[in-house]
Amino acid sequence: MTDLNPGSTTVETFSLRDYAEKAYLDYSMYVILDRALPHIGDGLKPVQRRIVYAMSELGLKASAKYKKSARTVGDVIGKFHPHGDSAAYEAMVLMAQDFSYRYPLIDGQGNWGSPDDPKSFAAMRYTESRLTKYADVLLGELGQGTVEWQPNFDGTLEEPMVLPAQVPNLLLNGTTGIAVGMATDIPPHNLTEVVAATIHLLENPKATIDELCDFIKGPDFPTEAEIITAPEDIRATYTSGKGSLKMRAAWRIEDGAVVIHALPYQVSGSKVLEQIAAQMQAKKLPMVSDLRDESDHEHPSRLVVVPRSNRVDLEALMSHLFASTDLERSYRVNLNVIGIDGRPAVKSVHKILSEWLVFRRTTVRRKLEYRLERVMRRLHILEGYLVAYLSIDEVIKIIREEDEPKSALMMRFALSEIQAEAILDLKLRNLAKLEEMKIRGEQDELNEERDYLEKTLGSDARLKTLIKKELLAVVDAHGDERRAPIVAREEAKAFSELELTTSDPVTIVLSEKGWIRAAKGHEIDPVSLSYKSGDGFKLAAKGRSNLPTVVFDSTGRAYSMASHNLPSARGQGEPLTGRINPPSGATFEGLLTGSLDDRFLLASDAGYGFVARFSDFQTKNKAGKAVLTLPKGAQLLQPAAIGEGVELQVAAVTNEGRLLVFPLAELPELARGKGNKIIGIPSARAAAREEILVGLCVLGDADVLQVTAGRQHLKLKACDLENYRGERGRRGNKLPKGFQKVAGLSVVQSG
């Protein structure tokens, strides 16, 4: 009779908080240890290991015929994986993609995705697969007592806990995974380099990380794109187990166009094209005229960028594209892995290789011990066969006549149970065919092998030599050259807004009231433009849209702004005070544009000035920059451009018609200040504005100076100017009568 008394049942009770915490921790450890992180031994996650093992059990070796992938996944794998068939198939696809795995484990037929779209693979019922030759380095020693076995997910069969890898596959193919509270990102490496480092560590257990890095230069991705991370940064990453890498697309010039022939690891070519096309549509790549995708089976990555002209700086263009698109990509490195102790940890490359060598040494020792055991067993059986051969007639008689032949044989010939069973397992006709020569020949071979195995197991040096030979054999079979070169490159820089502006001719126009605008072309007549009522033309400067504009106010401050942002001359412009903050009551007296190296002559009408470079006027400050210091009561003159030439002359004229010509070299080049005396004007007269400087220009040898006085013009050639030449700061000589009320000076180029 069943006891229904509740008091007789023992029930475990604990708080909901403790229950939730335990459940979460259990789940976390399950994700970490059984799903997301690879094992240091074979470098595989459980689902990958199950796929590879299942395919080997189905006979899908490299030499076998292709079989439907659904057979592997659906029948054997799907039920093992919490996410089902599709997730397992996705893991399988990854191992088959030669653009994802450096050394693919699966050889596939059909659509297994493309570098452009890795997840475009066909359903598993449409694809066929088998293992690659490389997979043998993981499976080759399976039946040799090298692995621990565990029941699978539903307990229907045994599966290996870790595959007996002959090389450090963890580093070779790399992996990524997201667990609970941790992640792993291990980049792929080159087999030849990793094995060389492993052998060095095997022979020199005290080798440093720097010594290993002499062999392993850096990761080696399945793409020809360049790794541009500095070697010292790579070493720091290998030392700590954490860091980052940068890859950059490889390109060359063909027929004046840029051909991108290798993309960074797992970068989509179509996405890169979209990114470049978006910039072109937004008019942020004016130097690019066309964009093409010429990728095919022979050239999986071939993107063509056609420049607008042969004057485009392709190096600068590519630097911009590297900075603004996926043509340059950063990769996180986090060498988080389940160690031989069964615990996850972030390890250095030195630690990874050291632990793998411990794993490999254990595997090789187990393989040798297993083989030695088989050899000893066979030798024992052969001894029994020899006894049987020497008394063959008696043995056959016992087998035929005795009810219990095994015990009879053991008693008569002092055989062991194993020997007796081996004799009985032979058919009588085979027993009669036993030959002493064959038995003794096999014994000699096995004795030789036994001696070799015992010597190897008993000597650490011999064991190391064996491991080294096995590693070198794998290199001979699967080793190759590095694919991803490690190249030192300058940091990529995106174009500034100014650099992306087209170089079109513009005329900057400033009105009397301080309204500014930009007209296209240099043929424009600024005086004839429409102005607001009570306003009119004041200053104009000819330049290009990609060159900055500088405005000077009456206090000697300079304000810079981008020319391409100025309002169009179709309208009446906009007030400068909306863009800059001049002092109260200041008016705008100077306007110029040019490149940063251009030189200008700055002067006040008090007769003082200096030479300055256009770069000295540049400022981001809306309040401007103090450049010219004005004497009391003095005003700024429109700066005079200084052209190219050796013996340049300065021509300065006062309102009283005094003209002075002197070499430009006599004036200093300053960034700011009052400057030196250009023409001698008495201070009192200058302060009272009785005599002021009204005209200033810079002449070349062949230039003609034009003096404007009212409606009259006077042209002075080089020979005519001799009368007015003198030292800087002199009073100068009077112009002819009728030209003494000077309105301005200008330079006329000689024919």
Side-chain angles (χ1 to χ4, degrees), residues 466-494:
L466 177 62
I467 294 171
K468 182 181 174 180
K469 283 181 180 176
E470 289 178 346
L471 285 167
L472 290 172
V474 175
V475 171
D476 289 341
H478 306 287
D480 56 3
E481 296 293 320
R482 166 176 283 277
R483 285 189 65 183
I486 300 172
V487 186
R489 298 288 187 196
E490 290 183 6
E491 190 177 351
K493 290 182 181 177

Side-chain angles (χ1 to χ4, degrees), residues 98-99 113-117 222-224 252 259-263 267-270 273 293-303 483:
D98 58 0
F99 50 85
S114 66
D116 208 44
D117 189 5
T223 171
E224 284 79 28
R252 56 178 176 261
V259 176
I260 301 163
H261 58 87
L263 294 169
V267 165
S268 165
S270 60
L273 285 175
D293 185 359
E294 295 182 355
S295 305
D296 53 30
H297 290 291
E298 290 184 9
H299 307 94
S301 295
R302 186 177 168 86
L303 310 181
R483 285 189 65 183

Side-chain angles (χ1 to χ4, degrees), residues 30-49 101 161-163 168-179 182-187 334-347 352 355:
Y30 156 69
V31 171
I32 291 166
L33 298 177
D34 211 45
R35 273 183 48 196
L37 264 59
H39 193 278
I40 199 166
D42 56 12
L44 299 177
K45 299 177 190 178
V47 67
Q48 295 172 324
R49 190 177 299 119
Y101 261 44
M161 294 173 73
V162 181
L163 294 177
N169 187 60
L170 173 74
L171 289 177
L172 300 182
N173 276 321
T175 192
T176 59
I178 300 171
M182 63 176 66
T184 185
D185 294 277
I186 303 172
N334 185 23
L335 306 180
N336 192 11
V337 60
I338 299 169
I340 53 178
D341 59 355
R343 297 182 177 184
V346 176
K347 303 178 188 290
I352 288 172
E355 283 200 27

Side-chain angles (χ1 to χ4, degrees), residues 346-482:
V346 176
K347 303 178 188 290
S348 68
V349 167
H350 185 281
K351 184 71 174 170
I352 288 172
L353 291 180
S354 298
E355 283 200 27
W356 185 84
L357 279 172
V358 172
F359 165 81
R360 184 62 190 159
R361 194 179 272 107
T362 304
T363 303
V364 170
R365 186 172 284 281
R366 289 179 66 174
K367 180 177 69 174
L368 295 176
E369 286 172 349
Y370 177 79
R371 179 60 187 164
L372 181 61
E373 187 184 332
R374 298 287 295 270
V375 167
M376 296 301 289
R377 181 182 173 88
R378 182 63 180 168
L379 282 170
H380 185 60
I381 289 169
L382 288 174
E383 284 178 12
Y385 284 168
L386 198 59
V387 170
Y389 170 76
L390 295 172
S391 309
I392 188 67
D393 294 333
E394 193 175 351
V395 169
I396 292 171
K397 186 179 177 184
I398 289 172
I399 294 170
R400 282 176 173 171
E401 295 177 358
E402 293 289 336
D403 293 334
E404 292 184 8
K406 185 167 89 171
S407 54
L409 284 171
M410 289 170 65
M411 191 177 292
R412 171 66 183 85
F413 299 108
L415 300 174
S416 68
E417 190 172 345
I418 294 169
Q419 290 171 323
E421 285 177 354
I423 291 168
L424 291 170
D425 286 341
L426 283 175
K427 292 178 180 177
L428 284 175
R429 67 172 176 270
N430 292 336
L431 194 62
K433 291 179 183 176
L434 284 176
E435 294 180 24
E436 187 178 4
M437 289 294 290
K438 285 184 179 180
I439 295 171
R440 295 202 182 276
E442 190 178 349
Q443 277 184 324
D444 292 342
E445 286 177 13
L446 291 174
N447 280 323
E448 191 176 334
E449 187 177 355
R450 181 195 64 193
D451 293 343
Y452 166 74
L453 291 169
E454 286 176 346
K455 282 180 182 176
T456 305
L457 285 166
S459 168
D460 194 48
R462 286 175 178 269
L463 200 64
K464 282 182 181 179
T465 304
L466 177 62
I467 294 171
K468 182 181 174 180
K469 283 181 180 176
E470 289 178 346
L471 285 167
L472 290 172
V474 175
V475 171
D476 289 341
H478 306 287
D480 56 3
E481 296 293 320
R482 166 176 283 277

Side-chain angles (χ1 to χ4, degrees), residues 632-660:
K632 189 176 180 181
Q635 293 181 4
L636 175 95
L637 289 177
Q638 166 71 356
I642 300 173
E644 296 293 326
V646 181
E647 295 183 0
L648 297 175
Q649 305 287 317
V650 177
V653 68
T654 67
N655 59 339
E656 294 186 349
R658 289 188 173 275
L659 176 65
L660 177 66

Side-chain angles (χ1 to χ4, degrees), residues 536-568:
F537 168 75
K538 187 170 185 177
L539 296 168
K542 293 177 180 179
R544 306 198 77 82
S545 57
N546 63 338
L547 298 177
T549 294
V550 171
V551 177
F552 283 88
D553 69 10
S554 54
T555 68
R557 299 185 74 82
Y559 308 85
S560 57
M561 61 201 77
S563 300
H564 69 278
N565 280 337
L566 295 175
S568 170

